[in-house]
């Protein structure tokens, strides 16, 4: 099948677009993703919008940083203020008003641990945490899987690194649970093991379990002297993610304070959170994307008067969609069910070695040749670079593997 697509379309490219090397089935589709994104960025028109935040103090002179959520009983949306004039009007109205605390809310919010790594989540996380490319991640993982020399013996440190499965063997779970009790205490251990179904990738290969250490008691500090610094980084990441997946959720107090004008037409809200119990975060750090999580709120009472210290207005412009990084391209291909996690690394490297894309600041930019090829294929062979066609083909290949479909019949249909 790949022969029919690649070997029939590639020679056309050689004659029509000299210097073009190939048009592989999955590679052409990933190039299409990158060039489409570039096109979106070129057509993008930024729009101006403004945001308002208020700094209040309570009777104890403690600061409360909050966002404007209602003005004249209208909910504040992203484009509520489109220019400086509109914002200045709002600020004047706010400065003429008196404020008090209308409501205080505190909820316990749980954050569940993340599942252990599959091939694509490992590639994405290693890319965002360490800046490793997909192929580099796979090379390091391959070495950890094949084994490193420990006390004169070659020892495999992780399970097979090409997998879509998030399940862990019963035997390993028992060892994980023992370690959690002995090293962290009973309160970190859930009553029963955590299991992760997750959304199934379209062409999941779940015969293998998730990527985990072969021996959870082999801590990163113990393997440090046998491995390179990059291998240690990746092993530590796999070790902590696997172990944390079997721990208790983290718990936070989510606090929110509603500040209202006396006539009730203007509302500001301040959100903040405090860790109540660290749970799995003790082992695996999660980057906090939520700004409110860093905001610690003072003690207040309902009805307490607060004073406006400063109203801050900020101008923003909408941003075009970001160019793909290796991690986001892998994620997108996985969502579309295109290609196999084990092949993503090689597909991505082919695109750059053939000069179809360039990489600046870890982002993909299609070259002129890449754009030309993509447009050529889209115009004349639109069926073969269609996302659904490629994903559907993966499904048929799976059916052939499991014996549901005859390969000759699939080829004849093609």
């Amino acid at each position: 099948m790949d022969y029919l697509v690649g070997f029939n379309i590639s020679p056309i490219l050689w004659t029509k677009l000299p210097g073009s090397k190939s048009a592989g089935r999955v590679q052409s589709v990933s190039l299409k993703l990158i060039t489409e994104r570039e096109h979106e960025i070129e057509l993008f028109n930024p729009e101006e919008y403004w945001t308002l935040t208020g700094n209040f103090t309570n009777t104890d002179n403690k600061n409360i940083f909050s966002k404007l959520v209602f003005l004249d009983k209208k909910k504040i949306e992203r484009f509520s203020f489109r220019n400086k004039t509109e914002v200045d009007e709002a600020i004047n109205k706010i400065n003429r008003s008196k404020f008090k605390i209308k409501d205080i809310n505190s909820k316990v919010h749980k954050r569940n641990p993340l599942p252990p790594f599959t091939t694509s989540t490992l590639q994405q996380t290693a890319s965002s945490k360490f800046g490793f490319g997909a192929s580099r991640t796979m090379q390091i993982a391959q070495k950890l899987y094949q084994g490193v020399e420990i006390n004169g013996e070659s020892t495999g440190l992780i399970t097979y690194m090409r997998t879509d499965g998030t399940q862990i063997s019963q035997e390993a779970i028992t060892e994980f649970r023992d370690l959690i009790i002995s090293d962290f205490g009973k309160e970190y251990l859930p009553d029963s093991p955590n299991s992760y179904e997750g959304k199934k990738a379209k062409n999941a290969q779940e015969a293998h379990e998730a990527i985990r250490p072969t021996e959870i008691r082999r801590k990163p500090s113990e393997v440090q002297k046998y491995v390179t610094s990059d291998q240690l980084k990746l092993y530590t990441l796999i070790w902590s993610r696997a172990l944390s997946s079997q721990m208790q959720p983290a718990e936070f107090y989510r606090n929110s304070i509603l500040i209202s004008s006396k006539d009730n037409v203007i509302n500001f809200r301040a959100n903040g959170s405090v860790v109540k119990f660290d749970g799995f975060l003790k082992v695996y750090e999660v980057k906090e994307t939520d700004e409110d999580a860093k905001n610690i709120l003072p003690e207040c009472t309902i009805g307490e008067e607060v004073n406006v210290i400063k109203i801050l207005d900020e101008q923003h412009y909408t941003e075009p969609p970001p160019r793909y990084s290796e991690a986001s391209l892998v994620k997108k291909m996985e969502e579309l069910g295109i290609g196999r996690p084990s092949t993503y690394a090689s597909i991505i490297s082919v695109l750059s070695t053939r000069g179809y894309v360039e990489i600046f600041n870890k982002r993909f930019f299609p070259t002129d040749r890449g754009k030309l090829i993509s447009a050529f294929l889209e115009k004349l062979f639109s069926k073969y670079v269609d996302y659904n066609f490629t994903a559907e083909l993966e499904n048929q290949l799976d059916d052939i593997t499991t014996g549901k479909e005859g390969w000759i019949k699939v080829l004849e249909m093609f």
Side-chain angles (χ1 to χ4, degrees):
M1 184 75 75
D2 285 347
Y3 173 88
L4 287 173
V5 178
F7 284 68
N8 282 309
I9 296 181
S10 295
I12 302 171
L13 286 182
W14 303 336
T15 53
K16 304 290 178 199
L17 303 174
S20 307
K21 309 279 197 310
S22 68
R25 183 170 62 84
V26 177
Q27 166 206 320
S28 302
V29 179
S30 38
L31 179 60
K32 179 182 168 186
L33 280 170
I34 294 168
T35 50
E36 276 183 353
R37 178 58 56 91
E38 197 64 29
H39 191 57
E40 281 174 48
I41 293 169
E42 283 162 8
L43 294 178
F44 182 79
N45 272 326
E47 288 188 73
E48 179 183 7
Y49 67 100
W50 290 69
T51 54
L52 278 182
T53 50
N55 180 6
F56 293 84
T57 57
N58 66 356
T59 44
D60 293 341
N61 237 354
K62 293 271 172 28
N63 285 344
I64 307 169
F65 295 100
S66 57
K67 283 184 187 139
L68 179 67
V69 284
F70 276 92
L71 181 69
D72 295 336
K73 296 198 169 168
K74 279 199 204 85
K75 190 168 191 261
I76 300 300
E77 308 282 355
R78 187 185 200 174
F79 293 110
S80 290
F81 306 115
R82 284 186 172 271
N83 53 49
K84 183 76 173 130
T85 321
E86 291 177 8
V87 158
D88 287 344
E89 268 177 39
I91 291 176
N92 287 332
K93 201 170 277 183
I94 292 164
N95 283 332
R96 289 199 302 271
S97 304
K98 293 258 186 277
F99 290 90
K100 64 179 190 311
I101 288 181
K102 187 183 177 185
D103 194 23
I104 299 171
N105 207 322
S106 185
K107 282 193 189 115
V108 174
H109 168 80
K110 282 190 175 182
R111 185 170 191 164
N112 290 321
L114 296 161
F117 285 125
T118 60
T119 305
S120 90
T121 53
L122 178 66
Q123 288 174 6
Q124 290 165 47
T125 309
S127 167
S128 61
K129 281 198 188 254
F130 312 130
F132 290 175
S135 53
R136 186 169 164 204
T137 300
M138 292 314 278
Q139 281 163 359
I140 302 168
Q142 179 82 39
K143 190 78 192 93
L144 293 173
Y145 168 68
Q146 282 175 340
V148 296
E149 199 77 15
I150 296 182
N151 303 333
E153 202 178 312
S154 179
T155 309
L157 296 179
I158 61 167
T159 55
Y160 194 52
M161 66 286 151
R162 292 204 170 94
T163 173
D164 298 324
T166 48
Q167 70 279 13
I168 291 179
S169 74
Q170 204 42 61
E171 196 182 342
I173 284 181
T174 308
E175 289 171 7
F176 281 28
R177 289 175 69 82
D178 291 346
L179 182 73
I180 293 167
I181 285 185
S182 64
D183 282 31
F184 304 101
K186 269 214 162 101
E187 66 274 25
Y188 286 91
L189 187 75
D191 294 338
S192 57
N194 297 332
S195 70
Y196 298 93
E197 285 303 307
K199 62 177 191 352
K200 291 262 188 282
K202 262 187 159 170
N203 43 30
Q205 295 160 310
E206 290 175 329
H208 299 288
E209 51 179 314
I211 306 172
R212 62 165 177 86
T214 45
E215 191 63 67
I216 198 71
R217 293 211 166 269
R218 204 178 280 122
K219 294 175 189 166
S221 54
E222 290 166 27
V223 300
Q224 194 168 356
K225 54 177 179 289
Y226 305 109
V227 293
T228 66
S229 64
D230 281 355
Q231 286 169 353
L232 181 67
K233 275 184 188 168
L234 203 65
Y235 180 73
T236 306
L237 187 66
I238 293 167
W239 185 89
S240 53
R241 174 81 164 233
L243 186 65
S244 71
S245 76
Q246 288 303 319
M247 292 173 81
Q248 285 278 30
E251 291 181 9
F252 299 89
Y253 288 117
R254 274 277 161 94
N255 305 326
S256 91
I257 294 175
L258 189 64
I259 296 171
S260 174
S261 58
K262 294 274 169 82
D263 55 4
N264 226 355
V265 295
I266 307 171
N267 288 160
F268 283 84
R269 177 170 284 122
N271 292 321
S273 72
V274 183
V275 177
K276 178 185 174 209
F277 172 62
D278 54 2
F280 78 97
L281 294 173
K282 192 153 189 86
V283 176
Y284 186 78
E285 217 175 290
V286 177
K287 202 165 135 198
E288 199 52 80
T289 47
D290 191 359
E291 276 305 302
D292 301 333
K294 302 168 193 143
N295 192 12
I296 305 291
L297 301 177
E299 289 287 319
C300 299
T301 52
I302 291 178
E304 184 180 341
E305 294 203 351
V306 288
N307 296 318
V308 178
I309 298 299
K310 197 170 188 192
I311 300 296
L312 296 169
D313 57 344
E314 227 180 315
Q315 183 184 32
H316 308 268
Y317 288 95
T318 52
E319 302 257 329
R323 289 180 178 87
Y324 286 107
S325 63
E326 279 204 9
S328 58
L329 188 63
V330 164
K331 191 174 183 191
K332 185 69 180 168
M333 284 163 73
E334 191 184 32
E335 275 170 20
L336 293 168
I338 293 166
R340 306 271 170 189
S342 53
T343 58
Y344 293 151
S346 60
I347 290 162
I348 287 167
S349 68
V350 163
L351 288 176
S352 49
T353 52
R354 301 223 158 120
Y356 298 162
V357 299
E358 289 173 322
I359 300 174
F360 299 110
N361 293 330
K362 299 184 177 152
R363 299 277 169 184
F364 291 113
F365 290 75
T367 59
D368 289 343
R369 173 178 291 160
K371 288 180 185 171
L372 194 62
I373 285 179
S374 207
F376 181 83
L377 292 173
E378 180 67 36
K379 190 104 183 100
L380 300 170
F381 300 98
S382 50
K383 179 183 169 183
Y384 304 114
V385 289
D386 177 69
Y387 301 133
N388 291 337
F389 169 76
T390 309
E392 191 41 52
L393 205 51
E394 300 286 358
N395 291 342
Q396 288 179 327
L397 298 180
D398 279 343
D399 288 344
I400 293 169
T401 313
T402 54
K404 282 188 207 155
E405 192 76 271
W407 63 274
I408 294 177
K409 184 184 153 205
V410 171
L411 282 175
E412 276 171 351
M413 278 159 49
F414 176 73

